[in-house]
Amino acid sequence: MTSSVKTLRAVISGRVQGVWFRGWTEREAGKLGLDGWVRNCPDGSVEALFSGEAVAVDAMIEACWRGPPAAKVVSVEVVEAEAPEESGFLHLRR
């Protein structure tokens, strides 16, 4: 049985900067064995790319609705994306 790979780009909005959202995302994605990246956006949102087993990607998207304790997530917009060229999960700086 083969596992299905899924890649999604998410834009998380609300109180998501200055509340350790990127660090939390990096840690949670690592626990799930996902590849991708996370970064702050100039508009105050956080953008992330998650790639890996479909069930793990879905679990990460669900987790983004909660975020770390100080976050107040109001939306998680998700679109299909291309898998990253590098393996591992990166914390990008703009």
Side-chain angles (χ1 to χ4, degrees):
M1 183 173 163
T2 61
S3 63
S4 76
V5 174
K6 185 177 197 176
T7 303
L8 296 175
R9 185 177 62 84
V11 177
I12 304 103
S13 300
R15 189 171 72 200
V16 293
Q17 290 190 16
V19 294
W20 201 65
F21 206 99
R22 286 176 299 162
W24 172 87
T25 301
E26 185 176 16
R27 185 187 70 197
E28 295 300 310
K31 287 181 190 176
L32 291 168
L34 297 176
D35 296 326
W37 47 261
V38 62
R39 64 183 171 200
N40 280 346
C41 296
D43 67 0
S45 65
V46 169
E47 181 181 21
L49 182 76
F50 305 115
S51 185
E53 291 188 31
V55 66
V57 171
D58 291 342
M60 188 67 217
I61 295 297
E62 182 64 30
C64 283
W65 277 100
R66 293 185 305 276
K72 296 287 185 223
V73 176
V74 296
S75 74
V76 179
E77 298 176 25
V78 178
V79 295
E80 290 185 13
E82 295 291 319
E85 293 181 16
E86 298 180 27
S87 62
F89 201 86
L90 306 171
H91 183 153
L92 301 180
R93 303 211 183 267
R94 280 212 174 207

